[in-house]
Structures are given as C-alpha cells and as structure tokens.
Amino acid sequence: HINMQRIKLVATRRETPLSMAQCLKLGQHLSSKALLKNLAFLNRELPVRFSKRIIELTNLPGELKETEPFMNLIKNYSRSFEELQTFSDNGHLFFLSSNTCLRDDLDIDDKESLKFSMQKEYAELLQNITNRHKQDVISMAHGISLFKRYQDNRNKPSEEIQHFLNAFNRGRLGIRIMVGHHLALQHQFYHLNEPSSPPSAPPPASASAYLSTPSSAHSQRIGIIEPQCDIEALILKAAQSAQFVFFQHYNTVFPPNIHIEHVKEVGGRNVRFPVVPALLHHILFELLKNAMRATAEFHGLDQSTYPDIQIRLLSTANGDLNITIKDYGGGMPSEKVVKPFNYMFTTASNTVCIDFHSIMTAVEKKPHNATLGENLPLCGFGFGLATSKLYARLFHGDLTLNSTTGQGTEANITLKRLEDQIEQLEEA
Ligand code: W6P
C-alpha cells in the first residue's frame, strides 16, 4: 500500500536546483564534515524529488499507468520514497547535523564511529535505490509500447506523454546525478583516508562504477565531475564506440571517420572544459551514431569510404563551449515532418519502434555499458535524441539539429561555463 497523503504533502515542497560549481566545490574541499553536510542535504532533498516523480507517474492516463511496467515504476518509486523517509524519520540526522551533540552519553570516538556507520548505512540505501531504478527507462519504453498497442495503431505518443517523459527523465537524472556524486565522493574520500579512517570498511566499491564513464589516465575526477575534461579525447572515445556499434550492425561495412578541427585555446592546449563525462558521452555517442548511419545509408552501403564527419570545437567569448558535428548524410525532412527530439523517434526508418522484443534483444546484446551505468540498448527505441537534448539542457546547455536537404545534418551542442551550469528543473 502507498501513503499518498504523505507523498502529496512532501511533493508540495520545492526542489533545490543543483549547481555544478557547488558540486565541484564540495568535492574540492572534501572532509568528513562536508560529506555529512551533503548527506543532510540529500536527506532533505531526495524525498521531495521522489515524491514529485510519483505524482508525475500517478497523473498519467489510466491505461498507461495500469500497464505492468508503469505499475512497477510506481511501486519502485514509492518503495524508495518510503525507505528514504524511514531513514529520515529514525532521527539519525537529528544530532548528526548539529555541532553540539545531543548524545552526551557518547564519547568522541563513539560519536565518530556512529557517524561513520550512519554514512555507511545511507550509502548502502542510496546504492540499493540506484540499482532499483537502473531499468526505469526501459520500463517506460516497454509500458508505452504496450499502451500504444492497446490504444490503436496511432504512431506517436501524445504531446502529453512527450511532456511526461521530459519531466520525468529530467527529474530522474537530477536524482541520479546528486546520488551518484555523493556516492562517488564518499568512495573517493574514504579511499584517500584509508589508514586513519573510521573503524569499519569503506562504502561499497560499486559506488564508483555508478554514473561514470571509465576515467582516463589523466583524470582528475571529482565525484562524477571532470573539472578539466579533455573534450577531444571524449569525442574520440564516443566516436570509437559509435564506430564499433556501426560495424556490428552493418557487419562488413567500415564506418565513416571523424575529423576534429583543432581549435586551440591561447597557449596551444586542447580544449578543456568542466563536464559530467557520462552525460556528454551519452550525447556525443548518440549524435555520432546517427551521423554515421545517415552517411552510410545516403551514400550506399557498398562504398569503401565515406565523407568524414566534421567536428568543430569552439570556445565562446563568455566561456561557453560549442561542439558542432556535421555529417554528409543527405539531411532529414523538415522538423514539421520529422520530430527527431520526440520519444519513440528513430532516424533509421523515420518510423516508430513498437517492437519491444527487439528492444530487449538489443539490451541483451549490448557490447558495453558506457552510458550512465544504465542498461540502455545501443540502438533501439528512439529515446536517444530526446534524452540527449534533455541532458544538454539540464545544465542550461542545448542541442539543436539543422538539416540541409540533399547534403547533410549539423548537430550543435552548447555547454555553459561552470558558473552557469545550474540545474534546470523545468522546461525553459
Ligand atoms: C541525420 C539524422 C541525424 C540525427 C542526429 C544527428 C545526426 C543526424 N544525421 O541524418
């Protein structure tokens, strides 16, 4: 059973937008006290965010929310909400957040070890919740495909459902970022301080695997943020993944290459930019995959070479970053005919994917798992461009597509400078 009364009450509270600069600062001045403060923040914030997601789910049309996948989503979100609420209710944080400790019966060492076991317990709770919600996106695709079959042959999910998916995915991503950042920071901190750290074992190792791309050799990763990400290296990595998927799909056909225009900053170094690599990788991989597929299909699969995909990096005067990815794949019909940012859109055939079995097959066959630690299929149910735009916009950036008919498509990613990377809780 679900306590909707409580959920509705908590959902009236406001979400606090994340600031990338603050997330970074937290990680740069890491201490057990800072981690505790962040724990207290999450303890306040997460129930609000989960309650809002539950409200969004329960506002869906009956025929959709009564599909099995959506009933499961509601059940899972309610369960996570209850668990977070229980932790909070147990009063763990009552003395934890205050400097003057109310438990005078405890000596300093006891207090320290109590604090530590609390952090550990919370980390385990967060890790469980993370795992529980890994398959959310697939559940949504599944639910919607059942709903559409039930309804009739109408292709596109309605505007209402597009709107829900944007709001829900945006909210879900915000949760995953703050939880992932906290877990990664805690993991990093207790590793650094192993010898002098509190008595019990550090948080589970899996925490670091969460919401992250494998960090490179030169990584200075702070939580889930790369403060000086080598953008060119990330593009190359995403391109390799896209080429790998391309080659798997078309077997004997060699994928188009990418060409990165070397726009150097003053001083001649490569462009460095603060990002959550997992998010940018998701966007780049999706765009490059589309660009490669369009190029090969436009020029014919019997070609031995294809025109390169042209990539340009541009730092703007105010410190933002622009990435353009241009392909010569013949372009797309105008936005009026084709809505590439709609969910359930796929560029492969300009039709809608409604075969859930093909989705599950794609999930099982997936060669790797570089995107947000989720089991997203590499090509499949047309969520890729929609979520990419959402991810770009989450921290005030954007993603647009411009086609020139008969020639190709240019994708434009804008990333805001660090100070302006503030979570956008609603559609602008
Ligand atoms: C196309 C369609 C598309 C979507 C996203 C990125 C690039 C491209 N190219 O033809």
Side-chain angles (χ1 to χ4, degrees):
H1 75 107
I2 298 168
N3 184 350
M4 275 313 284
Q5 215 76 24
R6 180 107 192 233
I7 291 167
K8 278 184 184 157
L9 183 70
V10 176
T12 58
R13 283 154 54 191
R14 255 182 229 280
E15 293 164 287
T16 307
L18 283 174
S19 137
M20 268 299 138
Q22 264 177 33
C23 287
L24 201 54
K25 217 163 119 191
L26 168 71
Q28 281 162 339
H29 306 277
L30 208 51
S31 62
S32 70
K33 201 169 165 188
L35 279 168
L36 277 173
K37 231 179 111 184
N38 200 45
L39 192 160
F41 166 71
L42 292 182
N43 191 50
R44 242 182 316 110
E45 184 70 12
L46 286 174
V48 180
R49 295 206 174 214
F50 272 87
S51 66
K52 294 207 189 257
R53 303 296 81 76
I54 297 168
I55 301 288
E56 284 161 3
L57 284 165
T58 54
N59 281 344
L60 283 169
E63 297 88 348
L64 181 55
K65 77 178 169 198
E66 277 146 31
T67 61
E68 200 204 307
F70 273 89
M71 300 224 305
N72 266 323
L73 281 165
I74 294 173
K75 201 181 76 199
N76 285 342
Y77 273 80
S78 306
R79 178 153 178 213
S80 298
F81 175 81
E82 288 303 327
E83 288 176 3
L84 289 162
Q85 205 64 65
T86 304
F87 186 90
S88 182
D89 288 347
N90 283 348
H92 282 119
L93 294 162
F94 187 51
F95 82 97
L96 198 155
S97 48
S98 61
N99 287 329
T100 49
C101 184
L102 299 171
R103 295 278 305 269
D104 286 332
D105 53 318
L106 297 173
D107 67 23
I108 296 286
D109 283 352
D110 286 345
K111 279 175 199 163
E112 283 310 303
S113 87
L114 192 59
K115 274 184 190 173
F116 183 72
S117 64
M118 226 174 282
Q119 279 181 292
K120 198 170 160 251
E121 191 191 322
Y122 198 62
E124 272 160 21
L125 172 57
L126 294 183
Q127 189 64 56
N128 284 341
I129 289 174
T130 298
N131 296 341
R132 179 177 301 140
H133 294 282
K134 263 191 183 140
Q135 306 278 345
D136 283 359
V137 178
I138 289 166
S139 298
M140 280 185 266
H142 189 188
I144 288 166
S145 76
L146 294 173
F147 172 60
K148 282 192 312 198
R149 207 170 307 168
Y150 164 92
Q151 275 213 316
D152 50 39
N153 293 332
R154 263 194 330 147
N155 276 344
K156 294 182 214 102
S158 65
E159 285 303 315
E160 182 194 0
I161 292 177
Q162 298 287 342
H163 189 269
F164 158 80
L165 287 167
N166 274 328
F168 190 83
N169 278 323
R170 188 188 300 116
R172 176 177 180 273
L173 188 62
I175 292 173
R176 288 182 89 78
I177 287 172
M178 64 176 74
V179 169
H181 192 55
H182 181 79
L183 288 175
L185 285 178
Q186 198 169 26
H187 184 68
Q188 286 161 13
F189 181 72
Y190 284 113
H191 258 265
L192 284 173
N193 294 283
E194 212 128 41
S196 57
S197 70
S200 5
S206 52
S208 64
Y210 168 69
L211 202 105
S212 67
T213 51
S215 60
S216 66
H218 317 290
S219 169
Q220 301 174 282
R221 191 76 58 93
I222 290 179
I224 56 166
I225 305 167
E226 193 69 71
Q228 295 205 43
C229 184
D230 181 340
I231 300 296
E232 207 175 307
L234 194 65
I235 292 171
L236 287 173
K237 196 152 80 179
Q240 276 170 6
S241 304
Q243 286 179 326
F244 179 79
V245 175
F246 178 102
F247 193 70
Q248 265 213 334
H249 186 81
Y250 294 111
N251 279 317
T252 55
V253 187
F254 283 100
N257 284 313
I258 62 162
H259 177 266
I260 302 179
E261 201 180 304
H262 287 249
V263 180
K264 303 287 184 190
E265 287 179 326
V266 192
R269 285 180 314 135
N270 289 347
V271 176
R272 299 267 170 180
F273 203 78
V275 295
V276 177
L279 293 189
L280 185 54
H281 184 279
H282 175 100
I283 298 167
L284 292 168
F285 172 67
E286 186 59 34
L287 293 176
L288 288 166
K289 212 170 45 143
N290 276 290
M292 286 174 193
R293 189 167 53 190
T295 303
E297 284 182 359
F298 182 61
H299 291 269
L301 292 171
D302 52 350
Q303 302 293 304
S304 57
T305 58
Y306 295 108
D308 286 352
I309 289 155
Q310 300 287 346
I311 299 174
R312 203 179 65 235
L313 300 175
L314 203 77
S315 311
T316 68
N318 62 353
D320 300 344
L321 181 70
N322 267 302
I323 307 173
T324 50
I325 300 176
K326 185 172 179 164
D327 68 58
Y328 297 89
M332 291 184 291
S334 83
E335 278 255 3
K336 289 195 190 75
V337 189
V338 174
K339 292 186 171 159
F341 294 118
N342 271 5
Y343 291 86
M344 310 309 248
F345 167 86
T346 162
T347 44
S349 54
N350 289 344
T351 56
V352 175
C353 172
I354 51 165
D355 177 11
F356 189 71
H357 286 288
S358 70
I359 296 172
M360 287 321 281
T361 315
V363 172
E364 274 143 29
K365 282 202 301 197
K366 77 197 162 69
H368 70 158
N369 188 5
T371 52
L372 296 171
E374 306 195 344
N375 295 317
L376 279 178
L378 290 160
C379 84
F381 51 79
F383 273 36
L385 288 176
T387 53
S388 291
K389 190 176 177 92
L390 197 73
Y391 287 14
R393 291 174 73 103
L394 189 68
F395 290 103
H396 272 87
D398 206 355
L399 165 61
T400 55
L401 292 174
N402 274 300
S403 275
T404 310
T405 311
Q407 196 202 43
T409 301
E410 189 176 285
N412 210 302
I413 307 165
T414 314
L415 301 174
K416 286 293 183 188
R417 59 179 176 175
L418 183 68
E419 309 87 87
D420 295 338
Q421 289 186 30
I422 297 184
E423 184 185 14
Q424 213 167 12
L425 293 169
E426 276 163 51
E427 203 57 57

